[in-house]
Amino acid sequence: MTANKKASNICSIQGLTNQIDTLNSAHVLPASQDLKANDSELIAESESKATFTLIAHFALAGHAVHKGQSGDFIVTKYGLSRYCQNLQELQDFARQLGM
C-alpha cells in the first residue's frame, strides 16, 4: 500500500504546474522603451555573431583568421596572408573564395 501512495505522489503534476506559473510570472517581457535602449546592444551582438560565423566558415575551409584590435582581420593559409580592413572586406574575400 505504501508503493501505491508513492506512485500517486510521483504522478501528481500540481507542484510542477505551480512552478511553471511562478516562472511565467517572473519573466515578463520588457516595455517597448527598454527594447529601444537595447537596440544598439542587439545590433552589436548580431554583428559579433555574424563575425564569428564567418570566421568559423574560414576555419572549416582551412584558413586562420586573426582579428586585430581596430576591427581589421588577417586571413592566412599555406603561409600566404590577406589583410582585410573591416568586416565588409572579410565578407567580400569570403565570396571571392566561394564561401
Side-chain angles (χ1 to χ4, degrees):
M1 191 154 183
T2 309
N4 288 339
K5 187 174 184 180
K6 286 182 182 177
S8 66
N9 288 340
I10 291 172
C11 294
S12 173
I13 61 168
Q14 182 64 30
L16 181 61
T17 306
N18 291 340
Q19 288 176 352
I20 291 172
D21 291 339
T22 303
L23 288 173
N24 286 337
S25 65
H27 299 291
V28 179
L29 290 176
S32 61
Q33 62 188 2
D34 293 336
L35 288 176
K36 289 179 184 176
N38 292 329
D39 280 348
S40 60
E41 292 175 13
L42 292 174
I43 290 170
E45 183 179 334
S46 66
E47 286 178 358
S48 67
K49 285 183 181 179
T51 303
F52 291 130
T53 301
L54 186 58
I55 290 172
H57 284 288
F58 273 104
L60 290 171
H63 296 80
V65 179
H66 305 278
K67 187 173 181 182
Q69 292 179 345
S70 61
D72 55 345
F73 302 91
I74 297 177
V75 182
T76 61
K77 184 174 182 180
Y78 301 131
L80 302 173
S81 63
R82 169 77 178 249
Y83 176 76
C84 299
Q85 189 172 6
N86 53 30
L87 181 60
Q88 183 61 45
E89 285 186 18
L90 186 65
Q91 289 171 339
D92 293 341
F93 183 53
R95 277 190 215 103
Q96 285 180 350
L97 295 175
M99 288 190 221

